[in-house]
Amino acid sequence: MTIPRILIIAGSDSGGGAGIQADIKTVTMLGGHAMTAITAITAQNTLGVTGVHPVPVEMVLAQIDAVVSDIGVDAVKIGMIGSAETAQAVAGRLEALDVPIVFDPVMVATSGSVLADAATIAAFERLMDLAAVVTPNLDELAVLGGRKAVLAHGCHLAEKGGHAEGPDVHDRLFAPNGELAAELIARRIETGDTHGTGCTFASALATGLGAGLPIGEAFTRAVRFVRIALISAPGLGKGHGPIGHALGAVPFDELEG
C-alpha cells in the first residue's frame, strides 16, 4: 500500500476551521498522510484573529528537515507563511525537492484579518517560482498582479471564483502558457460558513498531485471536495463558521467489524 505523503507549511488555527487543522483533515479524508511545518500560531475563532505568534525561522526549517530526512514527501502545500524571512528560507529548502508544490498565497482570513504584510507578499515571488500551481482567490490574484503576472512564474494558476458576484461560481485552471486547462461552473452555495475553503482546496489539490493524479483531475477533485464540505458545514460559531471536512459522515461508523 502506498500513501501520498503531503508536507503542509502553514499556520495553526486554534478554531480548527482553517490553516494546519483544515489541511490535516483534508489530506486525511482524501487518503494521504499529512505532515506539518507550522509557521505561526494564531488565536482565532469564527469571528476573527485575536493574536498571531510567528514560529522562529530556524524551527520552521527544522520541521521541514525532520520530515524530509525520514518520512519523505510526495507533494507540498504552502499556506500562511508568516514573514518575508520565513518565505525566503522555506523557498531555499524546497528548491532541493523534486515534488509538486501547491502555493496558496494567504493574505487575509475569511474574517478580514490581515495575515501577510507587504514585505511577505513581495517574498511570494520566489515561492511562485517553485510552485507547480498557485491557488489565489480573486482578491489575492489582484494583489499579485493578475493572471499574467502569476503565470509568468511558469506555474499553473487555479483561479478560484468564490469571491466573484453572480449565481454561479467559475473555477478555472490555467496552464503556464495561459491556456485554459479546465473550467468548472456550478451553482453558488449560499452560506456564511466558508472559513477554511482556500486552505482546504489547496490541500486537496496537493493530495491529488502527491498521489500522481494529472493536474486537471486533481483540480476537479479538489473543487468537488470543497463543495461537498460547504454543504456539510456543521454550523459552529457566531461568525464565519468552518466547513464540514468529514462531509457529513462519521468515517469510523462506516466501517464494519
Side-chain angles (χ1 to χ4, degrees), residues 122-236:
F124 286 174
E125 296 285 323
R126 193 172 173 196
L127 294 173
M128 289 192 285
D129 286 338
L130 296 173
V133 56
V134 179
T135 66
N137 60 40
L138 295 179
D139 296 335
E140 292 163 344
L141 181 59
V143 174
L144 294 173
R147 185 184 303 162
K148 289 185 179 179
V150 172
L151 294 176
H153 291 274
C155 56
H156 283 74
L157 168 64
E159 194 174 285
K160 301 178 296 189
H163 284 207
E165 299 293 331
D168 295 328
V169 175
H170 295 248
D171 294 305
R172 301 181 176 97
L173 177 68
F174 291 92
N177 63 4
E179 291 185 2
L180 183 63
E183 181 175 23
L184 300 174
I185 304 173
R187 200 72 176 171
R188 184 178 300 277
I189 298 169
E190 297 296 342
T191 176
D193 292 336
T194 58
H195 188 50
T197 49
C199 303
T200 298
F201 172 78
S203 286
L205 184 54
T207 306
L209 294 176
L213 295 180
I215 190 167
E217 186 176 341
F219 171 79
T220 299
R221 187 172 77 151
V223 171
R224 180 169 175 260
F225 183 84
V226 171
R227 287 188 62 81
I228 298 173
L230 279 166
I231 294 170
S232 306
L236 303 176

Side-chain angles (χ1 to χ4, degrees), residues 16-30:
I20 287 286
Q21 287 80 353
D23 298 324
I24 293 173
K25 287 182 275 191
T26 299
V27 172
T28 302
M29 286 295 294
L30 290 172

